Amino acid sequence: MRRTFLLFGLLLAFSLSAIAQQKLSVHWEELTAPDFAQAISRSGGTCLLPFGIIEKHGPHLPLGSDLFQARYAALHAAEQEYAVVFPEYYFGQIFEAQHQPGTVAYSSHLQLELLQETTDEMARNGCKKVIIVNGHGGNEYLLPFFAQSQLEKQHDYVVYVLGLVEPPPGGPAKKTSVDMHAGESETSSMMIARPDLVHIDRAGSQSGADQARLQLPGNLYTAIWWYARFPNHYSGEGAAATRELGQYEMDNWVKAIVNSIKAVKADQTSLRLQNEFFEKAKHPLDT
Ligand SMILES: [Zn+2]
C-alpha cells in the first residue's frame, strides 16, 4: 500500500512538473523569476528580439503596425520551437517619417547604444543566442551594421539578424504592383496580426502612388529617395488586402523564424569562432 502511494506521488510529481514545463510562457515579461531560469534552460539560451517601430502606416493602419506584426510572428514561432521573446522593442531607425504624426525617431547613437545594452542585458540573463527578428524596412540598414559591430569587442554571446522575410512565390495572386509600405501585403498581414486595428474603409483616403520625383541610377543611394517617391509615407493600396494573402505571408514568416530558431539552437560554431577570432585579434602579427 505504501509503495502504491509512493508510486502515485512520484507519478503526480512527474506529471505536475511536465505540466509546469508545458506551461512556460514564451513572453519574457510573463515569467516569474524562477520560471525565467527554467525558460532559459529550455530554450538553450535562445531568445528572440522582435524589432518594430512607431510610424505612420498609411491612413488606415496603426502606428505600431510593424511591432504588432513582428511580435505576432515571433510569438507564434516561439510557441512552435521554444524560445524566450523579449518585451516590446521599437527603438529603431525611422528618420524618414519625421514629417508624419506619431513617429518616434530616436537619435542614431541612441539606437545603437540601446540595442547593444539590450542584447548585453539579454546575454547577462542567459540569452547567449539572440535572434533579432526585424519587422520594419528602415531597420534593414541599422541591423546589419549592428550585427557587424559585434566584432568591435568580445562578447560571450552571438547576435543573429533575421531580416524582412519575402514570402515564396505561389501564394494568393496580388492585385497591385507598387506595394512597399501599408499597401496590399502589409494591410493583409495586419488583418491576421491585429484585425481590430485595420480601418480598410480609410485605405483609399490618401495616395500611396509612386511619385517618382528623383531620377538617379539604381546603385546610387541617397536618403531622401523614399520621401521623393512616397511623401505620404504610404506605398501601395491597402484596400486591395485580403485575409488569405495575410495568412500566407504570416505563415511563411513564422516558418522562417522557426527555421532560424532551430538553426541557431544547433549552431555550436559561431561562438567558438568568435572567441578564436578575438584571441587572435590580440596579437595579429602572430596570425
Ligand atoms: Zn510596416
Side-chain angles (χ1 to χ4, degrees):
M1 193 64 178
R2 193 177 268 180
R3 263 193 200 167
T4 320
F5 269 123
L6 190 66
L7 192 67
F8 181 71
L10 275 174
L11 276 174
L12 189 70
F14 268 129
S15 47
L16 281 178
S17 78
I19 289 169
Q21 267 246 323
Q22 279 166 11
K23 286 202 169 165
L24 271 183
S25 173
V26 299
H27 297 249
W28 179 302
E29 69 276 23
E30 287 184 3
L31 294 160
T32 62
D35 284 351
F36 181 84
Q38 254 195 64
I40 290 296
S41 146
R42 187 166 164 194
S43 70
T46 302
C47 302
L48 303 182
L49 176 56
F51 198 155
I53 205 75
I54 305 295
E55 60 166 337
K56 178 185 177 183
H57 271 77
H60 62 295
L61 295 179
L63 297 167
S65 288
D66 290 352
L67 182 64
F68 292 132
Q69 292 167 83
R71 290 193 65 78
Y72 180 95
L75 289 165
H76 280 76
E79 298 282 358
Q80 286 181 41
E81 180 65 41
Y82 192 82
V84 178
V85 181
F86 193 80
E88 274 81 357
Y89 194 92
Y90 51 84
F91 316 104
Q93 192 296 119
I94 186 54
F95 298 128
E96 61 274 23
Q98 287 187 95
H99 61 307
Q100 296 286 356
T103 303
V104 182
Y106 292 98
S107 60
S108 49
H109 73 90
L110 188 58
Q111 293 167 36
L112 285 167
E113 281 168 27
L114 193 57
L115 190 52
Q116 190 69 69
E117 291 207 15
T118 299
T119 58
D120 285 353
E121 277 299 281
M122 291 174 80
R124 194 178 63 76
N125 281 288
C127 296
K128 299 302 180 190
K129 295 172 168 185
V130 176
I131 308 174
I132 302 176
V133 176
N134 187 26
H136 164 58
N139 289 338
E140 291 282 272
Y141 307 91
L142 169 70
L143 288 173
F145 177 70
F146 176 71
Q148 197 61 29
S149 69
Q150 298 313 295
L151 295 186
E152 183 178 356
K153 65 183 183 79
Q154 190 160 8
H155 300 279
D156 67 345
Y157 66 94
V158 181
V159 169
Y160 306 82
V161 171
L162 180 65
L164 294 179
V165 173
E166 282 297 319
K174 280 175 54 170
K175 290 167 261 176
T176 58
S177 52
V178 174
D179 181 27
M180 292 169 76
H181 182 69
E184 182 178 2
S185 294
E186 190 165 17
T187 305
S188 298
S189 293
M190 277 298 288
M191 284 175 157
I192 304 301
R194 285 300 301 270
D196 55 316
L197 299 177
V198 177
H199 307 284
I200 199 83
D201 52 315
R202 303 183 205 164
S205 66
Q206 289 180 10
S207 168
D210 187 348
Q211 299 197 11
R213 297 183 296 172
L214 182 64
Q215 305 306 323
L216 287 173
N219 54 359
L220 194 57
Y221 190 90
T222 190
I224 206 69
W225 75 272
W226 174 260
Y227 179 77
R229 289 180 65 178
F230 306 106
N232 289 332
H233 207 59
Y234 179 25
S235 163
E237 295 170 50
T242 61
R243 273 190 63 87
E244 291 66 37
L245 180 62
Q247 195 65 60
Y248 180 76
E249 304 216 335
M250 228 12 132
D251 287 351
N252 276 292
W253 196 0
V254 171
K255 203 158 97 185
I257 302 171
V258 168
N259 286 342
S260 298
I261 300 172
K262 286 181 178 164
V264 162
K265 281 182 176 173
D267 177 19
Q268 305 303 328
T269 309
S270 295
L271 187 58
R272 181 174 58 75
L273 290 181
Q274 216 170 276
N275 289 336
E276 181 189 302
F277 168 82
F278 280 106
E279 205 43 57
K280 290 187 174 179
K282 284 177 194 158
H283 39 83
L285 296 185
D286 303 335
T287 301

